[in-house]
Amino acid sequence: MPGEACAQTTERKLAAPAAKQKSKVSRPRKTTAQASKSKSKARAAASKSRAAKALKHSKPKVALLPQLDPVAEMELIGEEALGLSNLLGSRPDDGQSQQKLAELALRAARGAERALSRGDDNLFGAYRELIRTRMTGTRPGLEAMAARGIGAAEFALGTFELHGLFDERSIERACPRFAAALEKGFGGAKFRHAQCIEAGDPARALTLFRDAANAGHAAAIERLGRICLDAEPPDATCAFEQLERAAREGRASARSLLGWMHAEGIGGKVDLERAGQYYRDAAGRGEPSARNNLGEFHERGRGVAQDEKAAFEHYLAAARAGFPPAQFNVGRLYVAGRGTAENPDEARRWLNLAAKAGIAPAQGILDMLDRQGGKP
């Protein structure tokens, strides 16, 4: 799709020789745990178009969620977990303490997912550390609760599988857990289950995304905006409405995508000033796609003075955050010696990372370097 060449995306084009390679600008990334691609592009396009029309006429419900301080809640869970872990260290067969710790694991799983929904990577990281250090022994208790029909336990087990908090990360093991959680009445699993089934059953997934969004799930709100944008033809009005909602809920990736829409003139005239504001705001919140697209602005002189050194610095920050399009941009600038000193070894390192992530132009430059004996 159009925005995926400079900031973040999966579909990218390759321009001419390395020194003239275009920057990779992309539409900011989708959320994690996506299921496999749709079998039929035509069917998916038709479904997205119907979805966009349906979204256009649906008004969000007011979310009735408890107003808790997320950091304070995580700290409270951590303190209780520490006390129980210490107790179980001296009395490992204390069934009551084991049960309490498993119940804390339920709360930790929900807190971790809420943090991710709002794009709070720091809080999610704190939950991840808490779960890995103090709750790895809760699996039997969670399994027992799941067997008794407790949907929240299925959700917690799915969350731990999805993020690799107990064992190696596995979407294949996580998705059945989310389905079981929903079947057992845990509505908080709607977003994750929707992600799991979206490729095979987009209509059902849309209903679940909408339900989750109406309950205040920020990532679901953003997903609705992306569905509107991916429709044929794109429904920019719907996309703006949902993405602005998600941005207000704290989603930096939604802010970055809004910046891309303004930069590309999606749904209106190109507005580079407003695009830059969105990018800077999202970058300040740690969104790598925004840093990458700011690099493209500086490299091409879009809305700012052309400055290849500043462009390289933005690309490098996003590349270090693990963003493949930025890794490609860093690699090609190292090849050409633009914005930084020419460095074939560093170029190869970054281009290899980008190529492994599926950025096809990166492999093209690597092949060119091989033909030229490593020299640009």
Side-chain angles (χ1 to χ4, degrees):
M1 299 196 54
E4 318 236 328
C6 256
Q8 158 174 7
T9 64
T10 54
E11 306 160 329
R12 316 247 190 301
K13 297 189 224 175
L14 174 64
K20 296 183 180 179
Q21 279 285 338
K22 291 183 180 178
S23 59
K24 207 87 174 141
V25 178
S26 67
R27 203 171 66 186
R29 60 190 163 192
K30 298 181 180 180
T31 53
T32 59
Q34 293 285 345
S36 59
K37 292 183 180 179
S38 169
K39 295 179 181 179
S40 166
K41 291 184 179 180
R43 184 179 65 184
S47 176
K48 288 174 181 176
S49 182
R50 290 194 298 272
K53 291 178 181 177
L55 285 171
K56 208 171 181 181
H57 301 291
S58 84
K59 294 189 179 281
K61 298 175 184 176
V62 177
L64 301 175
L65 297 177
Q67 298 300 311
L68 298 175
D69 178 74
V71 175
E73 182 182 17
M74 185 275 299
E75 291 174 345
L76 179 61
I77 293 172
E79 289 172 5
E80 292 184 37
L82 177 60
L84 289 167
S85 296
N86 290 338
L87 183 60
L88 286 167
S90 58
R91 299 187 332 202
D93 297 326
D94 185 340
Q96 186 176 10
S97 295
Q98 291 173 350
Q99 176 66 23
K100 288 181 178 178
L101 190 58
E103 290 170 358
L104 283 179
L106 300 184
R107 292 170 58 189
R110 293 197 295 270
E113 279 291 291
R114 281 196 297 269
L116 279 181
S117 171
R118 295 187 175 92
D120 191 337
D121 292 337
N122 291 331
L123 183 56
F124 173 76
Y127 269 115
R128 179 176 54 203
E129 181 67 15
L130 167 62
I131 293 164
R132 284 177 171 171
T133 56
R134 299 177 189 170
M135 296 180 175
T136 54
T138 60
R139 183 192 288 277
L142 292 171
E143 293 281 8
M145 284 191 279
R148 296 199 303 271
I150 299 175
E154 294 280 11
F155 179 75
L157 289 164
T159 298
F160 298 157
E161 294 284 10
L162 176 63
H163 303 300
L165 300 182
F166 282 173
D167 298 307
E168 186 176 346
R169 180 176 185 267
S170 173
I171 294 175
E172 291 74 20
R173 292 194 301 269
C175 283
R177 292 290 190 181
F178 295 135
L182 198 55
E183 288 172 2
K184 293 176 182 178
F186 185 69
K190 288 180 178 179
F191 174 73
R192 288 303 187 190
H193 182 52
Q195 287 185 310
C196 289
I197 67 170
E198 187 174 13
D201 191 351
R204 171 64 175 155
L206 174 62
T207 298
L208 293 172
F209 281 135
R210 189 184 293 124
D211 287 348
N214 288 343
H217 196 291
I221 297 169
E222 180 175 332
R223 184 71 193 112
L224 294 181
R226 290 179 180 275
I227 289 172
C228 292
L229 194 58
D230 289 343
E232 294 294 342
D235 188 338
T237 300
C238 170
F240 271 119
E241 179 183 346
Q242 300 294 341
L243 291 171
E244 285 169 354
R245 256 186 88 197
R248 289 194 296 270
E249 292 292 330
R251 295 282 297 179
S253 53
R255 293 174 185 271
S256 187
L257 184 50
L258 286 165
W260 175 81
M261 291 179 71
H262 283 295
E264 300 300 318
I266 306 298
K269 294 181 179 180
V270 170
D271 189 338
L272 297 181
E273 181 178 357
R274 195 165 184 189
Q277 290 172 350
Y278 273 119
Y279 285 156
R280 285 188 292 273
D281 182 61
R285 295 167 184 259
E287 175 55 40
S289 66
R291 284 301 296 268
N292 185 70
N293 284 357
L294 282 173
E296 185 261 346
F297 267 28
H298 283 281
E299 183 179 3
R300 295 175 56 192
R302 297 192 73 201
V304 294
Q306 189 172 21
D307 185 338
E308 291 184 339
K309 183 178 180 181
F312 178 80
E313 290 172 354
H314 281 297
Y315 289 147
L316 185 61
R320 286 173 172 166
F323 190 55
Q327 292 168 346
F328 167 78
N329 285 330
V330 169
R332 67 181 175 78
L333 289 188
Y334 268 129
V335 169
R338 293 170 46 213
T340 187
E342 189 178 297
N343 190 326
D345 292 337
E346 279 295 288
R348 282 186 178 280
R349 182 168 78 88
W350 289 109
L351 290 169
N352 272 317
L353 289 172
K356 288 177 182 177
I359 307 297
Q363 188 59 55
I365 299 178
L366 287 167
D367 292 343
M368 181 200 71
L369 289 174
D370 288 340
R371 290 193 300 270
Q372 297 177 356
K375 297 180 180 180

